[in-house]
Amino acid sequence: MKKVFITSNGCPRRYLDASKLQNYFKINKCKIIKNPKFADYLLFISCSFTKYKELECIELIKKLSIFKGELIVMGCLPEISPEILKNVFQGKAISTKKIEKIDKIFPVFKYSMNKIKDTNVLFNDKYYKKFKILNINNNNHFFLNKLYEFFSNKLKHDKIKFGYKINLKVSKGCNQNCSYCSIKNAIGKTVSKPITKCVNEYKELIKNKHFKINLIADNIGSYGLDLKSSFKELLSKLAKCNDSAKIKWYIKDLHPIWLIKYETELKKHIRSGKISSILCPIQSGSQRILKLMNRDMDKKDFYESIQKFKKINPTLKLITQIIIGFPSETNIEFNKTLKFINKIGFDAVWVFPYHNAKNAPSAKMNYQINKMVINKRMKVTEDYLLSKKIVRYSDENFGKKSI
């Protein structure tokens, strides 16, 4: 029996890929192990969404390469930064949009990857969690190991005590063309799961008493564009399955243009109590910068939609993402972003420093912002959000709150 080790530094969507790969190997009579030292194959599902994540990938690849098993690098890095990957790794690599090519590496397997159902539970990656903690301070591994064990046990207790959210992945890929993004090269165009499959999966989750559900996709608002359906129809069909007040939706990665377009449908489900939170990345509060980003939302329309939502349900949780230091962003435009966040009333913000992504149009734009200026603005952002009691998340300290 072949032994397989899996780890990832990715987003929730890549962790769902990791779970699916885990099932792929299990059904094909392999054993999933937690220690890479004893693995015949090591799978690393990578994330290179930011420069920090890219550097983290390289560090993890170097660390995993010392083991005797064959390392296979998957996820977004192979497509986004192939040259950087080749500098440290010359083995087998598969990008996110080509995940089914894993079958070519394991041709004798009875069950192919496209026969494996999507999973709803994120892969439990203890290796990466431990890697993050131990990287805080390499001089005190004993103390940090104990700290890791404590928080791991606490997280298990909290999940049992408070319950946890399950995931319904409704599509993959993205049809937007944001000028700073190269992720779309790794994930491909939108491919929606047929609405009947989404509904059946949803019913199964409820049957198994999963009432807190993340509706997840790379760009959830574009759901159905390839099926002559829509995000609006998806929400309507799901809502008809069960009207229990216990069921809560947590909508992930809803582009502002879709939030505005589907305002009426969203209001309906906020009013019913279904929608509990929305993650909607605005990226900037400057209309000029938004145009350069190729994210032409109208700030006024967006503000008015959000205010309608909050009037219906003042406890609706709103989360966003912003990019600091986009090319030619002035101090005035930077401050506009901070003020817009406060005006909207976001509960939490993911803050990312701008970096030139491979083959992204923004990398060729004039007036690139100096890294020192970006770092200074990052600190100003942290202080501002703290003063406004807005939770701040950042890539470097994944999941860390500023309040």
Side-chain angles (χ1 to χ4, degrees):
M1 181 182 283
K2 295 295 184 183
K3 296 186 283 293
V4 180
F5 169 82
I6 302 172
T7 189
S8 175
N9 70 332
C11 64
R13 295 175 294 282
R14 300 296 73 82
Y15 271 102
L16 288 175
D17 289 344
S19 282
K20 190 172 182 178
L21 284 161
Q22 177 177 245
N23 291 344
Y24 169 76
F25 284 105
K26 281 183 176 179
I27 199 170
N28 283 299
K29 309 300 182 185
C30 295
K31 183 179 181 181
I32 303 298
I33 63 171
K34 299 298 182 183
N35 191 334
K37 182 179 179 181
F38 305 109
D40 298 298
Y41 296 96
L42 299 90
L43 269 70
F44 171 48
I45 296 91
S46 61
C47 170
S48 51
F49 176 62
T50 64
K51 191 65 181 176
Y52 174 83
K53 280 291 183 184
E54 189 177 87
L55 294 171
E56 187 180 66
C57 282
I58 300 308
E59 190 175 348
L60 278 161
I61 288 167
K62 288 178 178 177
K63 193 175 180 69
L64 294 169
S65 294
I66 67 172
F67 300 108
K68 66 177 182 178
E70 180 181 0
L71 176 60
I72 302 167
V73 176
M74 303 184 70
C76 294
L77 184 68
E79 192 80 34
I80 294 172
S81 302
E83 295 88 358
I84 290 173
L85 176 60
K86 284 178 184 177
N87 286 337
V88 295
F89 178 74
Q90 289 76 45
K92 293 168 184 170
I94 302 171
S95 71
T96 298
K97 66 184 177 185
K98 298 173 182 176
I99 192 171
E100 287 82 9
K101 285 196 172 183
I102 191 76
D103 294 330
K104 291 186 177 181
I105 300 176
F106 300 97
V108 299
F109 279 5
K110 182 178 179 180
Y111 299 97
S112 61
M113 189 64 182
N114 61 13
K115 299 293 184 185
I116 310 301
K117 292 181 180 179
D118 281 348
T119 59
N120 306 109
V121 180
L122 299 182
F123 180 70
N124 183 18
D125 193 350
K126 292 182 179 180
Y127 180 85
Y128 177 66
K129 291 172 187 174
K130 192 170 185 178
F131 166 82
K132 290 289 286 183
I133 291 176
L134 293 180
N135 266 19
I136 297 169
N137 182 349
N138 289 322
N139 297 321
N140 198 345
H141 277 202
F142 176 78
F143 168 74
L144 289 168
N145 266 302
K146 292 298 181 185
L147 187 68
Y148 167 77
E149 289 172 12
F150 170 78
F151 280 108
S152 292
N153 290 331
K154 186 178 186 303
L155 283 170
K156 287 178 187 176
H157 169 75
D158 287 348
K159 281 187 176 183
I160 293 168
K161 184 177 179 182
F162 302 112
Y164 60 96
K165 295 188 280 291
I166 206 82
N167 301 278
L168 176 60
K169 185 178 177 182
V170 300
S171 67
K172 60 183 179 181
C174 181
N175 283 6
Q176 312 299 147
N177 287 296
C178 301
S179 66
Y180 54 83
C181 182
S182 58
I183 298 296
K184 59 181 177 286
N185 299 326
I187 61 178
K189 294 287 187 181
T190 296
V191 178
S192 304
K193 186 182 293 181
I195 205 159
T196 51
K197 281 192 176 182
C198 292
V199 168
N200 290 338
E201 207 172 311
Y202 180 74
K203 286 179 178 177
E204 191 66 23
L205 292 176
I206 294 170
K207 181 181 176 182
N208 291 321
K209 302 191 183 303
H210 294 297
F211 302 128
K212 296 179 180 180
I213 302 172
N214 285 324
L215 299 182
I216 194 168
D218 293 300
N219 180 2
I220 199 164
S222 66
Y223 173 85
L225 293 182
D226 55 324
L227 299 177
K228 295 184 179 179
S229 181
S230 67
F231 181 54
K232 173 182 176 180
E233 184 182 7
L234 173 69
L235 295 183
S236 178
K237 294 278 188 182
L238 295 181
K240 288 176 182 177
C241 293
N242 193 306
D243 60 0
S244 170
K246 290 181 181 179
I247 300 169
K248 302 296 178 187
W249 297 342
Y250 302 80
I251 297 175
K252 305 293 184 181
D253 294 293
L254 181 64
H255 191 297
I257 62 167
W258 300 114
L259 182 143
I260 295 165
K261 179 179 175 64
Y262 295 124
E263 178 195 297
T264 301
E265 190 71 15
L266 290 166
K267 284 194 298 184
K268 175 182 173 182
H269 300 299
I270 291 168
R271 188 175 288 109
S272 73
K274 282 279 192 296
I275 296 177
S276 184
S277 78
I278 301 173
L279 167 56
C280 183
I282 60 165
Q283 307 301 11
S284 177
S286 161
Q287 203 69 59
R288 185 185 74 87
I289 294 295
L290 286 170
K291 187 172 183 180
L292 287 174
M293 289 178 166
N294 200 24
R295 292 177 67 86
D296 272 344
M297 76 156 181
D298 186 287
K299 282 175 57 183
K300 185 173 180 291
D301 290 345
F302 180 77
Y303 174 77
E304 288 175 355
S305 293
I306 293 294
Q307 296 316 300
K308 291 172 187 175
F309 295 168
K310 294 182 85 170
K311 187 175 181 180
I312 295 168
N313 179 10
T315 65
L316 176 70
K317 298 299 178 187
L318 297 170
I319 307 152
T320 196
Q321 297 172 357
I322 58 171
I323 295 173
I324 303 297
F326 188 86
S328 80
E329 180 189 62
T330 65
N331 275 323
I332 291 173
E333 288 168 325
F334 162 65
N335 284 309
K336 276 185 179 179
T337 298
L338 298 185
K339 289 175 182 176
F340 191 59
I341 288 167
N342 189 49
K343 182 180 179 181
I344 291 292
F346 285 110
D347 298 283
V349 182
W350 280 94
V351 183
F352 298 104
Y354 172 81
H355 79 290
N356 282 329
K358 180 75 174 177
N359 296 323
S362 63
K364 299 177 182 178
M365 290 181 180
N366 295 327
Y367 308 109
Q368 298 282 326
I369 306 298
N370 183 282
K371 189 174 180 180
M372 288 180 64
V373 173
I374 293 176
N375 289 339
K376 183 178 178 182
R377 289 180 184 176
M378 289 287 287
K379 183 64 172 69
V380 170
T381 302
E382 181 178 357
D383 293 342
Y384 180 83
L385 296 177
L386 184 62
S387 72
K388 300 298 181 182
K389 294 183 167 48
I390 300 171
V391 173
R392 178 188 67 92
Y393 296 112
S394 69
D395 201 31
E396 288 79 358
N397 43 17
F398 187 84
K400 181 180 177 182
K401 297 181 178 182
S402 64
I403 61 170

